[in-house]
Amino acid sequence: MPRFQNGYDEVRAVLVRRIDDARAAETAGNLTAARGLWQKAGDSYRRLADAESNMIDRARLFKKASDCSARAGNLGVARPPTAHEPLGQGSGTEDFARKIDAMIFRSQVRWEDIGGMRETKQELRYAMGLQLARQPSGCVIDIPGRILLDGPPGTGKTLLASACANMLGATFFNVKTSDLLSKYFGESSQLISALYRRARDVAEDKGLAVIFIDEVESLVPDRDAADSGAEKRIVTSFLSELDGLSEKKRRSGVITIVATNKPGALDPAIVSRMDLRIHVPLPDGPTREEIFRLQIEENGFELAPPLTCAELAALTEGKAGRDIQRVCKKVLLHVLKECNQRVPELVASGEIGRYALQTRPFTRADFEQAFRAA
């Protein structure tokens, strides 16, 4: 499995030389060489960003990568805007790279952070395990790398995708459909291609990349019901990328996980490309109890006896995990406000930095108030 070939320090040393050489070539008027060196410097910054776990440093490195790509682009031959590109707001390679890099996250979600769903998690763990295992000698196995999660909103589909990425140690592209949709003709298709191109590059360097697209029905709706040729073109582009990842005798290292709460609105060709389709239902009683325990006890808070997580689970039948999380947050904020009424005056006096927040056990009345407000 391909990995980061050079050490972090070695990449930084190469980067410094490339920047020096790029500036020298630019000063000498050798714009072709300078353009190539600035582009390579941007690639080096992206590799450093991929290896960086600190979110602030990672964002800084991605910004430098985009600046290098932009500098390379500015050394190119000027061109008129294309049909899909507004005058004065070019969507060149560096703009696409900046948008795609903004979708990269480091997943910290563990399987144990997700309440219940034992069978669903087991199925996904098995599929991810196949990605990590070595194939038997002389055999070619088409490893499932395209997964459709369907189910009601708030049931934990994003958390499941994040846990998959964390288990694999993969770079996680957390994509919202709005990130890929554009009002300019053809730009959405280019963004989809740029996303998968970036993911393949990351996979080549680091081994695996996970692309997660939520509310995918907004991106690739049924073409028979599509309102425009642009929507059909987007579906075609997405299908092309999915088919490209399934080339025989070759592991791309890119896993696509899409989620929807309206599977009937998806283009049938998209559904047929999915290796696995997993339904994520509303949580049952034991799962709701575990979600309450994760939100309260695992975060260091307590319930006032005789209130229990099992009792709260019984009061939230038909609710999604996100609903339970929202109720717990409302209770916490209510308790904090009640126990820390001096916060505003401490802010005004400048003494808030030395103040330790106070809390108390959560009562049934706290939850009843939160349920009414929900």
Side-chain angles (χ1 to χ4, degrees), residues 29-48:
N30 190 350
L31 300 186
T32 300
R35 185 164 58 248
L37 288 164
W38 281 119
Q39 195 61 57
K40 288 180 179 179
D43 293 340
S44 295
Y45 270 125
R46 289 189 183 90
R47 293 188 70 190
L48 292 175

Side-chain angles (χ1 to χ4, degrees), residues 7 16 20 59 68 74 78 93 97-99 101 111 135 146 149 155 185 192 224 244 250 270 275 299 303 311 346 369:
V16 171
D20 289 342
C68 288
N74 290 336
T93 302
R98 188 179 300 112
K99 291 179 181 179
D101 286 344
W111 296 110
Q135 293 197 9
R146 298 170 297 185
L149 304 177
T155 50
F185 184 78
I192 291 171
D224 290 339
R250 178 176 177 270
I270 299 294
D275 300 312
N299 284 327
L303 293 176
E311 184 178 351
L346 291 171
Q369 179 180 352

